[in-house]
Amino acid sequence: MEEKVRKIIYKHRNDDSKLLAILHDVQNEFGYIPEDAIKTIAKELGMKKGEVYDAASFYSFFKFKPEGKHEVMICDCIVCYIKGSERIIERIEKEFGVKMGETTKDGKFTFKIVEGLGHCEHSPVMMVDGKIYGDLTPDKAVEILRGCE
Amino acid sequence: MIITIDGKRVEVEEGKTILQVARENGIEIPALCNYIDGNPIGSCGLCVVSIKNGGREYHARACATKVAEGMEIETHTQEVEDARRTILKMLAEEHGEIGGEAKELFLKYGIKIKSDKKREAPNLLNNPFISFNPNACVSCFRCVQACSLIKENHVLVRENRGSNIGIVAGINEALKDAGCAFCGACVDACPTGALMDLTAKEEETKKITSICPYCGVGCAIDYYVSGDEIIYAKGSPNGVNKGDDCIKGRYGWQFVHSEERLKKPLIKKNGKFEEVTWDEALNYVASRLKEIKEKYGADSIAGLSSAKCTNEENYLFQKFMRIVVGTNNVDHCARLCHASTVVGLFKVFGSGAMTNSLEDLEKDAELYFVIGSNTTHAHPVIGTMIKRSVKGRGAKLIVADPRDIELAEYSDIHLRHRPGTDVALINGMMNVIISHGLEDREFIENRTEGYEKLKEIVKKYTPEYVEKITGVPKEDIIKAAVLYAAHRSAIIYAMGITQHTSGTANVASLANLALLTGNVGKRGTGVNPLRGQNNVQGAGDMGALPNVLPSYAKLGTRRAREIEKIWGGKIPDKEGLTIVEMMHAASKGVIKAMYIMGENPAVSDPDQKHVIQALKNLEFLVVQDLFMSETAQLADVILPAASSLEKEGTFTNTERRVQLLHRVLEPVGDAKPDWWIIQEIAKRMGAEWNYESPKDIFEEIRKVVPQYRGITYERIEKMGLQWPCPSMEHPGTKILHEDTFPTPNGLAKFSPYEYKPPAEEPDEEYPFVLTTGRTYEHFHTGTLTRKIDGFNELIPEAFVEIHPEDAEKLGVEEGDCIEVESRRGKIRVKAKIARIKKGVVFIPFHFAESAANVLTIDALDPEAKIPELKVAAVRLKKC
């Protein structure tokens, strides 16, 4: 991993404000920002690890724990709520043995609650790896997820 | 510039903030987060004021807004006061346990702190010294600012933003894992009582300022005392440390309350120690010493004085050995740390002390050349000063050390030279300076002699040649030399330079380098040995050395005869033995008795097996200490001594500053100050001594030591004076050698040396180089620091630092047990994979159960008789 992080840092060696660019690339590479990557970045940039973490944790976009292979966002806005999103959430939590915000033990899925995916005409909706699925029922949601590799 | 504040027209300096101007004019604007003027955090918003200027009306934070011409400022309008009340209310509803100075602010605005909200504590809570209450923390970030801007540690940082914001250490780790220095700067910065010293409790305390008992920086520490107990302590703003402190200054006092303190005199009877009265113990010591002196002669007795004791006690100890016992066999642990400094600097400059002061080094050095000093660990307050100068004002830093010490992170160049090759490295730098024409010709011409000889000797030390010897790439040698010569540069060094068979040569070479570039006798320059113990400088000044008397007067000279007159006794002319020589003499049966005050040679001296055998071979051993040290266990009599927090006297710090101790506590049990004990033994051996207090002794020192003549207890009551201070009117000397050197002709003398390899080099049988030293948390043989639970929690046991590739070859992983063996013995320690030069390993010497000094060699520097504690050949294997 150190080698990969070093390569990313080297790529941005001429950038003025390179820290954020490096953090973005590290997250793209590993799916999150590992602690060891923070240490390597700090060492290479002449910073303390805490300084890197201070800057990175400002942005909710950066993750500091590994996430599942598939990112599942379930909309719990007022429209989806009226159309039964809570039942879908309940079912998924039971089916996959997790709470919202967590990752399944096999590392396959990370579930998140979001408010407003912009597809109210098909509510309730969820987004799996960037793709929208609408007009869900609890069964249909589980079926879609079971179909994921 | 004229502004109006609360209707009052005032003239103000440009560049100040509204908050500064208000405070200067006696207007109190509430502020929680403001800590360092000019570096506003701006998180609390309480200092908001209303401003009219150029037809505009607006509100702004007083801490972050600079004054401008014509500003009309109102600090307490209804509107801003309401806003403040709202902010405080919101804080009170979220944080139910706010305390500290903030509490008064809430009281003033009539706001009740009331909230049941419980916040999750970050992982930093897990540590032995600092408590954190998340329900009191209002995220003002004064602690973060203290950790970064004041201490340059950057351990405490912010996590997340918005309402989730909070403080964490590193990547939300325990303080220790995040690299915390436990300096307590965050605790001092916290306005809400969220961060506190764990020992602190709500109790009436009185503040007593004294000098820290640990290293030679000589920090003034404010001790907060209740009854006979220290509650907490912190760096005093009125000392050389200007409020800074380190883990040892802040928490290291805890040993004074240890259950293990010696409280009664002990005599070994039938192999067991038995408590006796002072009278019995003192009579016994005096009669045994008299007996041995009569039977074998005075030179069969030797004494070890101590760099942990006061000037007065060192003075009295050597006087006792010289005119009561009648021998010059007196030495102390400076032999093991800076003997080569005294000899080396004396040779070149005519005086063996640190040339400059902390104050000018902090303000004016453009470059620090730190060689053989792990400054942030061994002299942390100076380490912080260097970090602050590098980060804060752009000073340059060259580090020469085979280990990746913390300062290396801050350096422009890190020279990782092989242990014991310093002379080659320094000669190489001088070669580059001369070949590039960077020498200071005017200085050489007017202030020095012997330049031609230096030129001749360093000629062959080309960067190519030096690279072969030191392992440092020649480009780095050239870069370091040019940087050093091109700046106002200060050399800072410690045991990595002195503890070698080439110790004197190393020191003299550094002094040559400074002379060559004219970096002597000016602010921000010089050759600056950092003294390891609180009073190494003073113990030497007082003549606790076998070859010189107080003020470094030579034996058998006119000065010696003058001192005899003051003392009323005969001082022998024959030089005495040094520490290592004493041990050899003891093992051969030449030395029959030893009197050891405040030292632990059984752990601190090289080749431990031999030292212990020597001490066991003595007919009579007296040890005077705070604790049952490894040396005390071998004694016939143990005399319980008062610690430096329990007595008065003076210490002389690394920058020659004579500082007064104030008694913080009464001595524990029947423990007595060392000066009292020495005098009682002396009286029983026929001396007519009548010192009633350390001050009486100091008055005599003023007569004997010309450098101290102008110093009195009254003059140093608040702040110490730096010697030489020859008269009552003299202000003390901050920088040595400004106009002339204290040599017969006033010139400094270049004293070049050829490189000589260390006494024991690695070979096929013992392929690794062992180097030893201190950790940040512990001190020397651990007699004091290992009595403190928190320190033991942070560093519980010895370890060996090893390069990752060397570890891999041995099949060793972090934490594995390794057996380290030299020609003298072997120990077992845990492996610590570290960034250290390949082929070099490091073991701290604090731990008696796996003592690094079992392995070290007692080969001596021929001139200073300092042993080579920094280089020994060893082999390693997995246990």
Side-chain angles (χ1 to χ4, degrees):
Chain A
M1 175 162 83
E2 205 172 323
E3 209 37 53
K4 279 184 184 166
V5 176
R6 266 180 222 288
K7 259 191 196 153
I8 291 171
I9 296 167
Y10 187 73
K11 190 177 116 190
H12 293 287
R13 69 195 178 282
N14 294 324
D15 296 358
D16 277 343
S17 49
K18 56 188 91 162
L19 179 61
L20 285 187
I22 292 167
L23 289 169
H24 270 284
D25 281 3
V26 167
Q27 178 147 305
N28 284 344
E29 176 73 38
F30 303 103
Y32 73 110
I33 299 174
E35 233 179 86
D36 282 344
I38 292 183
K39 287 178 191 164
T40 306
I41 294 168
K43 202 165 86 187
E44 294 294 316
L45 263 46
M47 298 169 79
K48 297 277 182 174
K49 56 187 175 177
E51 290 180 278
V52 176
Y53 181 64
D54 184 315
S57 72
F58 184 92
Y59 301 95
S60 55
F61 172 81
F62 293 124
K63 325 250 175 304
F64 301 97
K65 277 187 194 139
E67 300 220 326
K69 192 175 165 197
H70 303 288
E71 183 188 45
V72 184
M73 296 190 198
I74 299 155
C75 188
D76 197 26
C77 73
I78 187 68
V79 182
C80 288
Y81 178 80
I82 292 167
K83 294 278 199 130
S85 60
E86 288 293 313
R87 283 195 295 123
I88 295 167
I89 291 167
E90 231 170 73
R91 176 71 186 280
I92 286 174
E93 285 187 341
K94 203 172 144 201
E95 201 77 26
F96 293 92
V98 288
K99 289 262 177 258
M100 288 296 123
E102 290 178 354
T103 301
T104 53
K105 277 204 185 102
D106 59 3
K108 199 166 171 187
F109 297 105
T110 296
F111 295 102
K112 293 171 188 170
I113 296 274
V114 293
E115 298 232 5
L117 284 170
H119 291 269
C120 300
E121 69 279 17
H122 293 296
S123 59
V125 293
M126 68 175 180
M127 187 153 93
V128 181
D129 298 332
K131 198 176 165 207
I132 291 286
Y133 297 89
D135 303 313
L136 296 175
T137 61
D139 282 345
K140 196 171 158 192
V142 170
E143 192 185 324
I144 292 165
L145 293 173
R146 290 277 178 230
C148 288
E149 282 290 302
Chain B
M1 175 193 301
I2 303 280
I3 64 156
T4 309
I5 184 159
D6 289 350
K8 193 171 129 195
R9 275 167 64 83
V10 288
E11 183 156 359
V12 295
E13 270 173 65
E14 207 177 309
K16 288 201 166 160
T17 65
I18 296 175
L19 188 63
Q20 275 172 289
V21 169
R23 285 182 177 169
E24 282 166 15
N25 284 281
I27 298 166
E28 200 39 54
I29 301 176
L32 264 183
C33 68
N34 188 66
Y35 193 51
I36 304 168
D37 278 336
N39 282 294
I41 302 171
S43 67
C44 78
L46 280 171
C47 67
V48 64
V49 290
S50 133
I51 304 168
K52 272 191 212 159
N53 200 10
R56 239 166 38 94
E57 264 192 75
Y58 58 100
H59 294 99
R61 288 173 164 89
C63 67
T65 311
K66 290 194 174 153
V67 286
E69 185 71 53
M71 261 187 182
E72 290 173 42
I73 302 155
E74 288 292 335
T75 64
H76 285 76
T77 61
Q78 187 65 44
E79 209 179 0
V80 297
E81 282 288 276
D82 283 348
R84 286 171 190 154
R85 210 163 280 119
T86 308
I87 292 169
L88 290 173
K89 249 188 217 161
M90 279 165 56
L91 290 176
E93 281 163 15
E94 290 288 320
H95 310 83
E97 292 160 30
I98 293 172
E101 61 184 79
K103 213 170 168 179
E104 285 162 37
L105 199 60
F106 285 83
L107 212 67
K108 193 173 150 196
Y109 280 85
I111 287 155
K112 259 203 173 150
I113 299 165
K114 203 183 156 198
S115 166
D116 301 331
K117 275 198 188 149
K118 295 282 175 233
R119 289 164 178 260
E120 201 182 320
N123 295 331
L124 66 88
L125 200 57
N126 174 17
N127 82 85
F129 293 113
I130 297 172
S131 67
F132 178 68
N133 179 357
N135 305 313
C137 174
V138 299
S139 300
C140 69
F141 302 122
R142 275 162 60 153
C143 53
V144 173
Q145 200 172 54
C147 192
S148 53
L149 289 183
I150 297 180
K151 293 294 189 164
E152 290 296 346
N153 282 336
H154 303 272
V155 165
L156 281 186
V157 296
R158 297 159 298 185
E159 185 188 47
N160 301 324
R161 289 301 182 272
S163 60
N164 288 329
I165 201 160
I167 61 160
V168 294
I171 316 171
N172 194 6
E173 296 159 277
L175 279 178
K176 176 187 158 199
D177 300 333
C180 176
F182 296 99
C183 64
C186 53
V187 173
D188 295 341
C190 180
T192 64
L195 285 159
M196 300 229 286
D197 291 319
L198 263 180
T199 54
K201 43 190 163 189
E202 287 209 10
E203 210 162 303
E204 193 80 12
T205 54
K206 64 172 189 260
K207 181 179 92 180
I208 302 168
T209 307
S210 197
I211 304 300
C212 177
Y214 288 98
C215 79
V217 180
C219 295
I221 306 285
D222 289 337
Y223 296 94
Y224 292 82
V225 182
S226 165
D228 54 2
E229 196 188 356
I230 298 174
I231 305 297
Y232 64 98
K234 57 183 179 185
S236 167
N238 304 316
V240 290
N241 47 317
K242 299 197 192 90
D244 271 347
D245 56 27
C246 75
I247 189 168
K248 288 177 282 236
R250 195 166 184 108
Y251 304 110
W253 49 266
Q254 295 177 13
F255 72 83
V256 298
H257 298 312
S258 165
E259 283 299 308
E260 294 173 49
R261 281 288 298 276
L262 296 169
K263 298 185 184 81
K264 293 250 189 257
L266 303 168
I267 294 182
K268 202 180 255 167
K269 294 178 181 167
N270 305 320
K272 267 193 181 155
F273 284 113
E274 283 180 24
E275 286 187 2
V276 295
T277 60
W278 268 109
D279 234 14
E280 185 181 345
L282 294 165
N283 287 338
Y284 182 61
V285 171
S287 70
R288 286 290 281 137
L289 288 179
K290 266 197 286 193
E291 237 173 77
I292 289 169
K293 181 179 162 181
E294 272 157 30
K295 197 164 161 198
Y296 306 103
D299 284 338
S300 68
I301 302 174
L304 289 184
S305 195
S306 173
K308 284 229 103 43
C309 293
T310 62
N311 286 322
E312 292 76 359
E313 289 157 348
N314 276 286
Y315 175 82
L316 219 55
F317 191 93
Q318 58 85 33
K319 184 176 170 183
F320 169 78
M321 290 305 295
R322 290 191 156 114
I323 65 165
V324 181
V325 176
T327 174
N328 282 313
N329 287 339
V330 55
D331 203 4
H332 71 283
C333 59
R335 181 67 49 203
L336 308 174
C337 66
H338 273 297
S340 40
T341 289
V342 176
V343 178
L345 291 185
F346 205 87
K347 224 171 169 171
V348 181
F349 296 153
S351 159
M354 176 161 165
T355 58
N356 287 53
S357 300
L358 302 182
E359 183 259 345
D360 73 274
L361 291 178
E362 166 142 40
K363 281 195 190 136
D364 295 322
E366 293 170 351
L367 180 143
Y368 301 97
F369 177 26
V370 177
I371 180 164
S373 158
N374 187 1
T375 325
T376 55
H377 284 200
H379 302 89
V381 165
I382 295 179
T384 300
M385 179 268 276
I386 295 173
K387 278 154 67 176
R388 216 158 31 212
S389 299
V390 169
K391 288 275 197 175
R393 61 176 179 85
K396 297 265 183 297
L397 175 62
I398 303 170
V399 169
D401 204 299
R403 297 170 65 208
D404 265 15
I405 57 170
E406 189 189 342
L407 275 186
E409 270 180 56
Y410 296 78
S411 66
D412 296 273
I413 312 170
H414 179 193
L415 311 168
R416 274 190 200 84
H417 60 310
R418 282 189 199 108
T421 62
D422 305 84
V423 169
L425 181 70
I426 302 158
N427 281 353
M429 285 173 70
M430 289 195 276
N431 175 296
V432 172
I433 289 167
I434 294 170
S435 66
H436 284 62
L438 293 169
E439 72 277 17
D440 185 337
R441 284 188 201 125
E442 204 188 314
F443 189 90
I444 295 167
E445 181 68 26
N446 298 331
R447 305 275 320 261
T448 72
E449 58 183 348
Y451 175 57
E452 288 309 316
K453 195 177 154 211
L454 174 95
K455 216 167 145 180
E456 201 185 299
I457 286 191
V458 303
K459 206 170 170 186
K460 76 167 188 226
Y461 292 87
T462 59
E464 293 75 17
Y465 177 60
V466 173
E467 173 172 339
K468 274 189 212 133
I469 301 172
T470 60
V472 177
K474 62 175 193 275
E475 297 75 21
D476 285 353
I477 298 167
I478 296 170
K479 204 174 147 199
V482 171
L483 271 179
Y484 175 82
H487 288 89
R488 182 177 277 266
S489 299
I491 294 167
I492 289 176
Y493 74 87
M495 255 78 300
I497 279 294
T498 60
Q499 289 177 333
H500 291 279
T501 45
S502 59
T504 303
N506 291 346
V507 171
S509 300
L510 286 174
N512 292 338
L513 175 66
L515 285 182
L516 182 65
T517 51
N519 274 314
V520 189
K522 300 171 189 145
R523 290 181 65 84
T525 66
V527 181
N528 301 287
L530 301 184
R531 301 309 193 117
Q533 298 276 10
N534 47 331
N535 200 30
V536 192
Q537 184 64 53
D541 298 345
M542 295 303 114
L545 297 166
N547 58 336
V548 289
L549 298 167
S551 78
Y552 306 96
K554 292 210 171 76
L555 294 164
T557 59
R558 197 168 50 84
R559 283 276 302 124
R561 302 285 91 89
E562 283 166 17
I563 295 173
E564 279 180 344
K565 271 188 211 141
I566 299 171
W567 287 358
K570 174 97 187 70
I571 302 170
D573 288 342
K574 192 182 138 210
E575 275 189 23
L577 301 176
T578 63
I579 288 186
V580 177
E581 291 168 336
M582 284 177 194
M583 295 304 166
H584 283 294
S587 72
K588 284 194 202 118
V590 177
I591 293 287
K592 301 285 185 191
M594 281 188 83
Y595 177 13
I596 299 179
M597 169 174 82
E599 299 228 334
N600 190 11
V603 183
S604 64
D605 292 15
D607 196 356
Q608 188 194 41
K609 231 158 70 183
H610 177 250
V611 173
I612 291 175
Q613 182 256 326
L615 292 171
K616 281 186 175 162
N617 202 33
L618 291 169
E619 278 188 24
F620 186 58
L621 174 60
V622 188
V623 173
Q624 195 162 304
D625 209 302
L626 308 187
F627 290 101
M628 181 64 84
S629 68
E630 291 72 14
T631 305
Q633 285 166 23
L634 305 172
D636 298 287
V637 182
I638 304 177
L639 305 171
S643 74
S644 68
L645 299 177
E646 298 161 338
K647 65 187 175 193
E648 275 142 5
T650 56
F651 287 154
T652 305
N653 83 344
T654 191
E655 46 157 27
R656 301 167 274 107
R657 191 182 297 276
V658 183
Q659 310 201 88
L660 189 62
L661 301 178
H662 294 101
R663 197 188 310 144
V664 177
L665 301 165
E666 288 302 317
V668 68
D670 281 348
K672 296 280 187 189
D674 295 283
W675 67 267
W676 182 91
I677 306 173
I678 302 163
Q679 169 160 277
E680 288 302 315
I681 298 172
K683 277 182 183 168
R684 284 165 170 80
M685 290 177 73
E688 284 171 31
W689 289 4
N690 259 313
Y691 303 106
E692 285 186 7
S693 66
K695 194 175 168 183
D696 280 357
I697 305 168
F698 194 81
E699 285 302 314
E700 186 177 311
I701 293 171
R702 292 181 59 209
K703 287 187 201 137
V704 176
V705 182
Q707 295 96 319
Y708 284 58
R709 195 152 291 161
I711 303 172
T712 62
Y713 273 25
E714 288 73 26
R715 285 191 78 189
I716 57 172
E717 170 63 30
K718 290 232 149 61
M719 184 71 173
L721 284 167
Q722 287 170 280
W723 69 252
C725 179
S727 69
M728 285 295 283
E729 296 73 38
H730 196 282
T733 307
K734 290 192 167 179
I735 298 168
L736 297 180
H737 322 317
E738 279 183 306
D739 306 310
T740 179
F741 289 93
T743 52
N745 61 4
L747 300 176
K749 190 175 173 202
F750 279 109
S751 308
Y753 280 85
E754 294 281 359
Y755 162 70
K756 279 204 189 95
E760 192 177 68
E761 290 206 278
D763 52 24
E764 272 181 20
E765 228 185 319
Y766 296 91
F768 287 91
V769 175
L770 164 74
T771 188
T772 63
R774 273 191 208 164
T775 63
Y776 175 59
E777 292 80 359
H778 285 297
F779 197 81
H780 283 236
T781 64
T783 309
L784 306 181
T785 51
R786 294 192 79 200
K787 302 295 184 302
I788 301 169
D789 293 343
F791 288 13
N792 291 331
E793 188 183 322
L794 295 173
I795 306 269
E797 57 186 340
F799 55 83
V800 53
E801 279 187 4
I802 180 169
H803 187 278
E805 285 178 35
D806 290 334
E808 205 182 311
K809 268 188 225 149
L810 292 163
V812 166
E813 281 178 34
E814 179 86 14
D816 281 356
C817 172
I818 295 190
E819 189 178 274
V820 186
E821 185 178 3
S822 78
R823 290 186 172 85
R824 291 152 295 279
K826 56 186 170 189
I827 61 170
R828 291 178 160 212
V829 275
K830 272 195 178 157
K832 186 170 170 187
I833 315 287
R835 291 199 286 170
I836 186 168
K837 197 175 177 69
K838 225 196 292 180
V840 178
V841 295
F842 167 85
I843 304 177
F845 69 107
H846 314 298
F847 304 92
E849 68 280 10
S850 35
N853 283 325
V854 166
L855 308 168
T856 49
I857 185 167
D858 65 358
L860 300 182
D861 174 288
E863 292 171 85
K865 309 281 173 68
I866 190 170
E868 190 150 61
L869 291 158
K870 286 286 186 273
V871 187
V874 294
R875 59 184 173 213
L876 312 178
K877 73 170 193 227
K878 205 172 155 180
C879 305

